[in-house]
Amino acid sequence: MFAGDHDIALAVAELADALPEPLRPLAQVAYDYRWSWSRDGAAMFEIIDPECWKRTAHNPRRLLSEVPRATLERAVARPGFLAWVDSIAAELAADRARPCLDGPVSAQHPVAFCCSEFGVHGSLPIYSGGLGVLAGDILKEASDLALPMVGIGLMYRTGYFHQRIDVTGAQHEYWLDIDPERLPCAKVTGGDGLPLSIYTPINNEGVKAHIWRVDVGRVPLYLLDTDLPENSPVGRWVTSRLYESNRSIRLAQYAVLGMGGVRALRALGIEPSVYHFNEGHPALGVFELLAQAKHQTGCGLADAWAKVREQVVFTTHTPVPAGNETYQRSEALTMLGRIADLAGDRSDFLAMGCLDPASPDQGFSMSALALRASRHANGVSQRHGEVARAMWQPLFPNLQVKDVPISHVTNGVHLPTWLHGPMRHLLDRHLGADWLSRADQAQTWWPVRDIPASELWGARCAARTQLVDMISRRGTGDRLRRGEALDYAEAVTTGFSADRLTIGFARRLAVYKRLHLVALMPERALALIGGDRPVQFVFAGKAHPDDMAAKDVVRQVFALKRAPGVAGRAAFLEDYDIPLAGHLVAGCDVWINVPRPPNEASGTSGMKSCLGGGLQLSVLDGWWAEAYDGSNGWAINGDIDHDIHAQDQHDAQAMFDLMEQVIVPMFHQRDESGVPQQWVNMMRRSLMTNGPRFSATRMVRNYVEQVYRRS
């Protein structure tokens, strides 16, 4: 039982009362995102009204509220539909009834997982990219493992930006308002029936926040919301946009997330056994924990800090110093001065966030604060752990780099979320009952060796066909909206083929991700598209509104669009999000990941691609440095070259060499049945090696045993 149970129950009852009696169990399902990773959950809602399901962005709360009563009655009359509803409802109820996982945390003292973004589902748009999607996967896996956990985040009223690309390749951003009242969530109330409120001291204002609860299976996600009439216009704006460009507003967000998050948990009656700060954004919460420790025990400052460190663990995701945002003394004290006073002295506050405490003017870093205030810190891949130890060694001047206390827990992905379509059906048939609960065990994947090559290849081709169908529809729409000529807009429909080698590149667009490598040797890219055995490319990704260099990369790629053959064999799909990512990782034959080493902390899109039978063409950085074994994909050297232009040239050369000389020939080398046996063997090897090692099941178990459990 967690705070807000009563509020969720009231919301469910209100929705149920508006439904035909046989469909009332759907109300409970709609308010629990567990439906989204039940194998048939999404299909059950979609079949009620496919157009409304699409229009409501796959939000079951809105679907059931907006679809006409007559449509709901037709669903009741559909043969087998009520049994389907009862089955999904029973599945969710049984999941809730399981006992909690035995271990270092308990239902009375859960893990508090704090993060600035959560990518739970496309209908809850409070995420940007990999950090948020990982956070969502962790909550889902905690639910699957029955690990007691609560999430703490912010209810962004306009979320992250939406993207449009114009005919020149220039990115344009726009934001859409989010109405929490139309989401499957409930505002948490107190015993008096009024919304619970917490206050965070920001600048000269005590910014008030209410708390929304979203159920992610067994895990409640609590989201703080400052868009309240009692706050000033600035205070209301604090939880408006994710990764707001205004630096002062970002600091205010970190204060609400960190200090406000700790205060919210106390108001909710939740006493965590451990606070897990996923990146440095929630780090200001340590000052509320400090004040709490001093108040409860009356101890001195040093002992209070020791108590704080016992409660906090920290995961860093940023492998380069420039990615760890710092604030000048005046910026920090203007917005956070009253929080600084909790440290006992403002100089002590600034010193906690500086690389060198003796030089507080060098800038205040949330990551440095989190490292100093936690009992355990980790990176998100083996190589990232090494990079982080070297990067943060100045915080530990008496230690050699190898002894810096930063370990690693390599990221993983939530299999029930990212494995779907033809490959999910195939593996369900061959890997045994409840195999997903054993997905972190290598032997679970051994039966892949015995799946006939024709079946593996059939699943791969079926997934590619689904992807090409989606590209044709969405790509044409994107081009028409930006005003392209009709022949160019229609070329994506007539040009893309379900039989053609399909190569994908989709992720957050930053210069170090190096999408520009594709355009660095245009003659070779065009030869691949227009040769005797042509390939087709699909691209997607968003550049941060302030990252002009990343926006220029998109324009470089668009410069090739009028070259012969490109219109029908290359597409940039706009507004990259979780639903689009799901289509791409499931359908692409080859997934390209070419970050500039050592800038890739982990990377999880490739892990998702592996689940669909996709093969990786990646730099040996992040997760691929520990995944690649010479037989499960292709690799580009991951050595560091400080001459970045030279590095781009030789990595582009290596990428095109592999595509021209190895990948394309292997794809087209078929046996008498039309099956590329060598390709399928590599698919087998990829599934068997990467499936268990990079599952969220393995990752969360690692966190439980290596991080949450006190030594």
Side-chain angles (χ1 to χ4, degrees), residues 139-158:
L139 297 194
K140 294 173 187 177
E141 191 60 48
S143 176
D144 288 348
L145 293 174
L147 172 69
M149 178 179 281
V150 300
I152 290 289
L154 301 179
M155 176 62 85
Y156 300 102
R157 288 299 190 111
T158 57

Side-chain angles (χ1 to χ4, degrees), residues 316-319 380-381 383-384 512 598-603 621-623:
T316 175
H317 293 260
T318 310
V380 290
S381 69
R383 185 172 188 182
H384 180 228
Y512 83 86
N599 292 354
E600 184 80 307
S602 177
D621 197 16
W623 80 285

Side-chain angles (χ1 to χ4, degrees), residues 19-137:
L19 299 176
E21 194 278 333
L23 293 183
R24 287 180 179 175
L26 274 181
Q28 183 72 59
V29 176
Y31 270 90
D32 182 351
Y33 272 107
R34 175 67 174 75
W35 67 263
S36 69
W37 70 91
S38 173
R39 177 170 158 173
D40 298 319
M44 177 189 65
F45 284 115
E46 181 179 21
I47 204 169
I48 294 173
D49 187 330
E51 284 303 312
C52 186
W53 182 239
K54 180 180 178 181
R55 187 175 63 252
T56 58
H58 300 178
N59 175 347
R61 164 74 176 81
R62 282 189 59 193
L63 172 80
L64 297 177
S65 300
E66 297 178 15
V67 77
R69 180 82 177 192
T71 302
L72 293 173
E73 297 288 0
R74 283 196 296 272
V76 171
R78 184 186 296 270
F81 185 73
L82 293 181
W84 194 357
V85 170
D86 290 342
S87 174
I88 297 290
E91 178 186 332
L92 269 62
D95 185 66
R96 292 287 186 106
R98 291 180 297 139
C100 291
L101 179 73
D102 289 333
V105 298
S106 65
Q108 293 72 34
H109 301 287
V111 177
F113 188 84
C114 310
C115 191
S116 62
E117 53 173 304
F118 286 90
V120 173
H121 187 260
S123 63
L124 185 65
I126 57 168
Y127 65 93
S128 160
L131 179 70
V133 173
L134 176 76
D137 279 7

Side-chain angles (χ1 to χ4, degrees), residues 97-428:
R98 291 180 297 139
C100 291
L101 179 73
D102 289 333
V105 298
S106 65
Q108 293 72 34
H109 301 287
V111 177
F113 188 84
C114 310
C115 191
S116 62
E117 53 173 304
F118 286 90
V120 173
H121 187 260
S123 63
L124 185 65
I126 57 168
Y127 65 93
S128 160
L131 179 70
V133 173
L134 176 76
D137 279 7
I138 286 174
L139 297 194
K140 294 173 187 177
E141 191 60 48
S143 176
D144 288 348
L145 293 174
L147 172 69
M149 178 179 281
V150 300
I152 290 289
L154 301 179
M155 176 62 85
Y156 300 102
R157 288 299 190 111
T158 57
Y160 199 51
F161 74 89
H162 293 270
Q163 177 196 57
R164 282 288 175 229
I165 305 294
D166 68 22
V167 293
T168 70
Q171 173 180 290
H172 301 271
E173 303 89 22
Y174 64 99
W175 285 260
L176 297 175
D177 289 339
I178 298 166
D179 181 3
E181 299 286 353
R182 303 172 76 190
L183 294 173
C185 62
K187 188 173 282 189
V188 180
T189 60
D192 57 3
L194 298 175
L196 277 182
S197 301
I198 60 101
Y199 294 84
T200 306
I202 300 169
N203 200 347
N204 295 317
E205 182 179 2
V207 175
K208 182 179 180 179
H210 286 167
I211 305 165
W212 296 90
R213 172 170 153 174
V214 177
D215 280 358
V216 186
R218 299 166 58 106
V219 175
L221 170 59
Y222 297 104
L223 301 171
L224 279 64
D225 178 10
T226 68
D227 187 17
L228 304 173
E230 300 92 326
N231 290 329
S232 70
V234 171
R236 297 189 72 160
W237 188 256
V238 169
T239 57
S240 179
R241 289 181 181 174
L242 174 59
Y243 300 135
E244 164 66 42
S245 295
N246 185 297
R247 288 169 60 85
S248 295
I249 294 295
R250 284 204 302 277
L251 270 177
Q253 290 180 340
Y254 303 159
V256 173
L257 175 63
M259 171 170 276
V262 174
R263 290 183 173 184
L265 288 167
R266 188 164 64 243
L268 292 164
I270 297 171
E271 299 180 10
S273 62
V274 59
Y275 292 83
H276 185 165
F277 292 167
N278 194 42
E279 259 304 4
H281 309 117
L284 290 169
V286 302
F287 293 107
E288 180 65 17
L289 293 174
L290 180 72
Q292 193 171 290
K294 290 194 293 185
H295 174 74
Q296 291 176 349
T297 66
C299 61
L301 189 61
D303 289 340
W305 272 121
K307 291 182 181 298
V308 170
R309 291 186 184 96
E310 277 301 301
Q311 299 176 76
V312 176
V313 299
F314 170 53
T315 297
T316 175
H317 293 260
T318 310
V320 289
N324 291 276
E325 191 173 21
T326 59
Y327 291 86
Q328 296 305 309
R329 175 190 181 98
S330 59
E331 289 181 297
L333 292 181
T334 296
M335 296 302 292
L336 309 176
R338 288 190 290 158
I339 295 176
D341 294 337
L342 296 175
D345 181 273
R346 293 192 173 194
S347 296
D348 292 340
F349 169 81
L350 294 171
M352 286 293 290
C354 292
L355 275 178
D356 181 1
S359 304
D361 290 334
Q362 67 186 202
F364 184 88
S365 162
M366 296 296 168
S367 295
L369 171 61
L371 284 165
R372 282 201 174 91
S374 58
R375 65 172 168 83
H376 189 283
N378 68 275
V380 290
S381 69
Q382 182 176 330
R383 185 172 188 182
H384 180 228
E386 298 166 358
V387 170
R389 285 190 288 275
M391 183 170 71
W392 293 110
Q393 191 274 336
L395 286 180
F396 307 92
N398 298 322
L399 298 178
Q400 297 182 23
V401 169
K402 65 181 179 63
D403 297 321
V404 169
I406 300 176
S407 67
H408 79 275
V409 174
T410 301
N411 285 342
V413 297
H414 185 245
L415 268 63
T417 294
W418 297 104
L419 174 61
H420 47 78
M423 190 60 71
R424 170 69 185 269
H425 292 291
L426 180 67
L427 295 179
D428 281 351

